[in-house]
Amino acid sequence: KIANNILEAFSLLRKNRRVFISYKRDESTSVAIQLYEALERSGFDVFLDTHNIRPSEPFQDELWHRMADSDVVVLLNTSNFLGSMWTTQELATANKLLLGMVVVSWPEHSIKNHKDAEISFPIQLKAHDFNNENERLNNNIVDQIIKNVESIRARTLAARRDNLISNFMKMAKSKGCNPQLDSYKIISMTKNDEEIVLVPAVGIPNSLNYESSSIFIEEIRNKKYEHVYILFDETCIRDYWLKHLKWLDSSLAVETLSILRVQKWLTN
């Protein structure tokens, strides 16, 4: 936790600490709510479907949107977790987004699919880890879950950022460009005789990304570059937010660039 606070202070780790709880409602709602409350008390921004989606919102779209902006998934692996189409999709989407997972498995039950995750930490529960007929966990187990969420958070964000950078570098080199990566994980290159820089952003870009990218380039790079881009992955991000980013692009000096659109961007 101390190390993460230091990384946040140097802007090497985003300050929003987002956790997504994946569970099967008819098997682990009480534990899900217990962890939601405990994680919030520990300073996390926690997503729980029954608490965070307004009735007017398209449920599934908003769920994927929030997962895309999470750092870690806490998966409550009950006996029939994979018996639901929705929880199976949540697991697959978490793996697709390269989210780290803390997999909390109920007694005498395990799961293998989480091994596809970039970073995964399993916790195998025992019968004595529960209070009140399996409805709530003992405090020491809750503390262990929170500790592990904090532990893998920085590694998850680093892995997602490195994947974003690696994909961009491969595509740029395949088009004959010569992208350079510095010690701050900032990409610089020449495109159409213009010097540009790309700042990788994990999760959903917002106005803070624009501000920090602009300030970073102005102070560290001495305004050397003609264009500044925030590189991100638009997978699972809702259309309304992508339209909002386009509006910001037209209003500010910094622009966004989705990794899914890089191939076309490189040929323009």
Side-chain angles (χ1 to χ4, degrees):
K1 187 172 183 180
I2 293 173
N4 285 353
N5 287 339
I6 293 172
L7 291 172
E8 289 172 5
F10 283 95
S11 298
L12 298 175
L13 183 64
R14 67 177 186 173
K15 293 185 177 181
N16 294 326
R17 307 160 73 235
R18 296 197 167 117
V19 179
F20 185 104
I21 298 178
S22 180
Y23 70 109
K24 198 166 184 294
R25 286 189 187 180
D26 61 354
E27 293 184 332
S28 56
T29 293
S30 295
V31 172
I33 294 172
Q34 179 187 13
L35 291 175
Y36 173 88
E37 295 171 347
L39 285 161
E40 279 210 325
R41 287 195 299 269
S42 295
F44 288 94
D45 179 359
V46 189
F47 176 84
L48 185 65
D49 59 356
T50 55
H51 287 57
N52 298 96
I53 299 181
R54 293 177 296 180
S56 60
E57 296 283 357
F59 182 88
Q60 208 60 43
D61 289 346
E62 183 63 16
L63 186 145
W64 300 138
H65 183 83
R66 290 296 299 269
M67 179 177 277
D69 204 33
S70 296
D71 304 335
V72 180
V73 172
V74 175
L75 189 152
L76 302 186
N77 178 31
T78 48
S79 59
N80 198 36
F81 178 83
L82 293 180
S84 164
M85 175 183 70
W86 301 115
T87 49
T88 301
Q89 285 186 5
E90 286 180 19
L91 178 58
T93 303
N95 287 333
K96 180 180 179 181
L97 292 169
L98 303 181
L99 295 177
M101 294 188 198
V102 175
V103 182
V104 184
S105 295
W106 262 232
E108 300 180 1
H109 183 63
S110 61
I111 193 169
K112 297 180 180 179
N113 301 60
H114 71 87
K115 293 181 180 178
D116 295 332
E118 187 75 15
I119 298 171
S120 177
F121 191 96
I123 296 177
Q124 185 67 55
L125 298 175
K126 306 295 183 183
H128 60 74
D129 291 325
F130 290 90
N131 288 323
N132 304 326
E133 297 180 355
N134 289 2
E135 291 190 0
R136 293 178 71 85
L137 296 173
N138 292 331
N139 290 336
N140 61 326
I141 292 295
V142 172
D143 291 342
Q144 182 183 345
I145 292 170
I146 294 172
K147 180 180 178 180
N148 288 323
V149 168
E150 189 72 68
S151 175
I152 71 172
R153 176 174 164 256
R155 286 180 286 156
T156 296
L157 292 174
R160 294 177 71 191
R161 182 181 60 183
D162 288 347
N163 182 72
L164 193 63
I165 292 170
S166 175
N167 287 338
F168 177 87
M169 300 287 276
K170 288 178 183 177
M171 286 187 279
K173 289 177 181 178
S174 72
K175 297 297 182 180
C177 300
N178 185 31
Q180 301 296 316
L181 183 67
D182 70 10
S183 58
Y184 291 93
K185 300 289 187 178
I186 304 297
I187 304 169
S188 58
M189 60 179 280
T190 301
K191 179 176 180 287
N192 298 331
D193 297 323
E194 294 182 335
E195 296 294 324
I196 65 174
V197 66
L198 300 102
V199 182
V202 175
I204 300 175
N206 54 40
S207 59
L208 291 176
N209 293 116
Y210 284 80
E211 180 184 5
S212 61
S213 298
S214 178
I215 292 173
F216 181 86
I217 300 306
E218 182 175 349
E219 293 182 351
I220 305 299
R221 300 301 187 190
N222 264 338
K223 299 183 180 180
K224 174 184 175 183
Y225 296 97
E226 298 178 62
H227 294 288
V228 180
Y229 293 91
I230 299 170
L231 181 66
F232 76 109
D233 186 350
E234 67 179 76
T235 302
C236 293
I237 298 179
R238 290 182 61 185
D239 288 341
Y240 85 90
W241 196 262
L242 295 176
K243 291 177 182 178
H244 172 64
L245 293 179
K246 285 185 179 180
W247 177 81
L248 287 175
D249 291 346
S250 65
S251 306
L252 302 171
V254 179
E255 299 179 52
T256 52
L257 174 63
S258 169
I259 192 68
L260 302 185
R261 304 177 190 274
V262 165
Q263 290 279 17
K264 182 178 181 180
W265 175 81
L266 286 167
T267 59
N268 288 339

